[in-house]
């Protein structure tokens, strides 16, 4: 299945079409953030397989910026090596 994205080069249409995933990593202890429970609170997890994964770098960066600004950081955005099922 092919899909369009603004960063696709028309001369190489299959480049940049692989799914990417990003997570928020706490700089103080190396844990990752996840969303847990019905109240959707943020929790720290040790594994990227348990972390909340963003589909775009921009969305992850926006979340990290908001959380850092709100005093819930310091957080960084990391790209996760992800293989679709």
């Amino acid at each position: 299945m092919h899909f369009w994205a603004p960063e696709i080069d028309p001369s190489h249409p299959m480049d940049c079409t692989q799914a990417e995933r990003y997570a928020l990593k706490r700089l103080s202890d190396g844990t990752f953030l996840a969303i847990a429970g019905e109240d959707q609170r943020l929790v720290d997890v040790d594994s990227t397989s348990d972390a909340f994964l963003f589909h775009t770098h921009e969305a992850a960066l926006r979340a990290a910026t908001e959380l850092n600004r709100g005093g819930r950081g310091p957080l960084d955005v990391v790209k996760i090596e992800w293989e679709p099922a």
Side-chain angles (χ1 to χ4, degrees):
M1 177 172 77
H2 181 70
F3 58 91
W4 181 85
E7 62 275 356
I8 293 177
D9 178 355
S11 61
H12 300 96
M14 293 310 291
D15 291 348
C16 301
T17 59
Q18 302 305 313
E20 293 182 348
R21 299 292 183 264
Y22 299 88
L24 301 183
K25 185 174 185 177
R26 196 171 294 283
L27 294 175
S28 59
D29 60 7
T31 59
F32 298 91
L33 287 186
I35 300 173
E38 290 183 16
D39 60 355
Q40 297 187 349
R41 68 186 183 285
L42 294 177
V43 296
D44 292 340
V45 295
D46 293 323
S47 169
T48 57
S49 62
D50 297 326
F52 180 82
L53 299 180
F54 294 85
H55 293 272
T56 65
H57 183 260
E58 291 79 11
L61 189 58
R62 194 169 37 251
T65 301
E66 281 291 315
L67 290 167
N68 285 334
R69 188 176 313 143
R72 308 228 15 218
L75 297 167
D76 194 11
V77 174
V78 294
K79 185 174 181 179
I80 305 299
E81 293 300 323
W82 182 76
E83 292 292 327

